[in-house]
């Protein structure tokens, strides 16, 4: 059985990729804060527990939100 994913694991993986953002608890959801994420139009992921997603899925969610924000800002 794989290890249970924690916020520390996600944040460590983001740091390893040179990112300043971190995964934060929003009470019933999680969001990416800090770094570029402070200006994102959307930064949240609606899951109850960090362990509801795998580490790879968290990193995919981060990349998806990053790309979405870049796309939305180009439209302005």
């Amino acid at each position: 059985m794989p290890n249970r994913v924690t916020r520390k694991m996600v944040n460590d993986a983001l740091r390893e990729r040179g990112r300043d953002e971190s995964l934060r608890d929003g009470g019933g959801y999680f969001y990416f804060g800090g770094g570029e994420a402070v200006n994102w139009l959307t930064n949240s992921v609606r899951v109850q527990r960090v362990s509801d997603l795998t580490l790879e899925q968290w990193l995919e969610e981060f990349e998806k939100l990053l790309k979405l924000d870049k796309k939305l800002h180009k439209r302005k």
Side-chain angles (χ1 to χ4, degrees), residues 10-58:
V10 175
N11 291 335
D12 287 349
L14 290 171
R15 297 283 171 279
E16 287 172 9
R17 287 161 176 76
R19 301 303 312 190
D20 292 328
E21 297 80 10
S22 61
L23 183 64
R24 301 172 184 194
D25 188 348
Y29 69 98
F30 291 86
Y31 67 97
F32 293 100
E36 289 180 36
V38 298
N39 296 314
W40 290 357
L41 297 175
T42 183
N43 63 358
S44 61
V45 180
R46 306 237 1 122
V47 295
Q48 291 292 315
R49 295 173 301 276
V50 175
S51 60
D52 287 346
L53 299 178
T54 65
L55 180 57
E56 186 59 38
Q57 288 171 320
W58 276 112

